[in-house]
Amino acid sequence: GDSVTQMEGPVTLSEEAFLTINCTYTATGYPSLFWYVQYPGEGLQLLLKATKADDKGSNKGFEATYRKETTSFHLEKGSVQVSDSAVYFCALTYAGGTSYGKLTFGQGTILTVHP
Amino acid sequence: DAGITQSPRYKITETGRQVTLMCHQTWSHSYMFWYRQDLGHGLRLIYYSAAADITDKGEVPDGYVVSRSKTENFPLTLESATRSQTSVYFCASSPRQGGSYNEQFFGPGTRLTVL
């Protein structure tokens, strides 16, 4: 079956540091890939997405590129802020067929940014 | 209020009791989902629904029952709560446009504790 693996957390950084959160996936088909973010006490929000190989998703300074050859979708940001402290989830789904858009999530990575 | 809401936000119950978690969305999205969030597991799909009166099991359905008599509501019932069902529960909805599945929109979550 499909699965998503994220780097172990928690990740602790100083403000303005470079961020990478690794995500790799195993899929039987050609999925769409997502990064969701969960701020403390809230539900998940879509951060960015990519629907096919070599697509780059970007939002709020975060970027991730869909790499089919390495089955990866690593999240990066050049300069993190304290307000980026949250839990980040990598996920996949299939755009069609009988999947109904069900998401398969990684285990989540806690990011804490200190001033 | 527009959006997706969950109630209650917090619930404490005892082993063996029946508990119902409510989910309501105002967008008339076709698809709705229930996930549980546990440390180390990310989010796991419990049940999903493609439309009113159409539901199906997800990854971890045992001990849960759902119904969907109206498009906007998707309640989740724990028939006889167990300690292992202590978790944070998220409801999500998603539109279907042009034959493709789109991002899921998440509610704020319900934190359930079973004593």
Side-chain angles (χ1 to χ4, degrees):
Chain A
D2 300 334
S3 65
V4 176
T5 301
Q6 292 180 230
M7 64 185 288
E8 298 262 343
V11 175
T12 303
L13 296 173
S14 297
E15 207 165 24
E16 299 184 3
F18 184 84
L19 169 70
T20 300
I21 300 177
N22 290 338
C23 171
T24 57
Y25 67 90
T26 302
T28 53
Y30 301 98
S32 297
L33 301 174
F34 302 83
W35 277 101
Y36 279 82
V37 59
Q38 183 182 27
Y39 298 105
E42 298 183 10
L44 280 72
Q45 304 172 24
L46 179 66
L47 181 59
L48 53 84
K49 68 178 181 182
T51 58
K52 61 183 187 296
D54 299 325
D55 268 3
K56 177 185 281 188
S58 62
N59 186 27
K60 298 182 181 180
F62 291 89
E63 293 183 339
T65 301
Y66 190 163
R67 301 287 189 199
K68 185 181 171 186
E69 63 277 12
T70 55
T71 62
S72 64
F73 193 54
H74 305 321
L75 182 69
E76 297 183 336
K77 187 176 185 183
S79 177
V80 294
Q81 305 300 312
V82 172
S83 57
D84 294 326
S85 298
V87 184
Y88 292 82
F89 292 93
C90 187
L92 66 81
T93 191
Y94 293 95
T98 59
S99 72
Y100 299 120
K102 290 177 289 181
L103 285 165
T104 298
F105 284 93
Q107 68 269 41
T109 301
I110 300 171
L111 171 66
T112 302
V113 180
H114 293 298
Chain B
D1 290 337
I4 183 165
T5 56
Q6 293 182 236
S7 61
R9 293 293 311 277
Y10 303 91
K11 177 73 176 178
I12 300 174
T13 191
E14 295 178 337
T15 301
R17 291 193 180 258
Q18 183 180 80
V19 177
T20 296
L21 309 183
M22 304 302 294
C23 179
H24 176 77
Q25 52 107 352
T26 61
W27 296 302
S28 298
H29 287 170
S30 298
Y31 298 93
M32 296 188 74
F33 307 84
W34 274 107
Y35 296 90
R36 59 177 290 172
Q37 182 180 22
D38 304 289
L39 269 177
H41 291 280
L43 277 77
R44 292 179 291 176
L45 183 65
I46 304 171
Y47 269 95
Y48 62 99
S49 169
D53 297 324
I54 301 175
T55 62
D56 207 348
K57 297 177 181 179
E59 183 184 354
V60 289
D62 293 343
Y64 303 95
V65 174
V66 294
S67 62
R68 197 168 174 206
S69 56
K70 294 183 178 181
T71 299
E72 61 268 27
N73 296 325
F74 191 38
L76 176 74
T77 298
L78 287 66
E79 294 183 296
S80 178
T82 66
R83 289 197 181 91
S84 65
Q85 293 177 309
T86 293
S87 186
V88 181
Y89 291 85
F90 287 99
C91 179
S93 70
S94 175
R96 184 173 184 186
Q97 296 170 346
S100 295
Y101 302 104
N102 292 280
E103 70 173 279
Q104 291 185 20
F105 296 84
F106 284 78
T110 295
R111 183 175 294 275
L112 176 67
T113 301
V114 183
L115 301 177

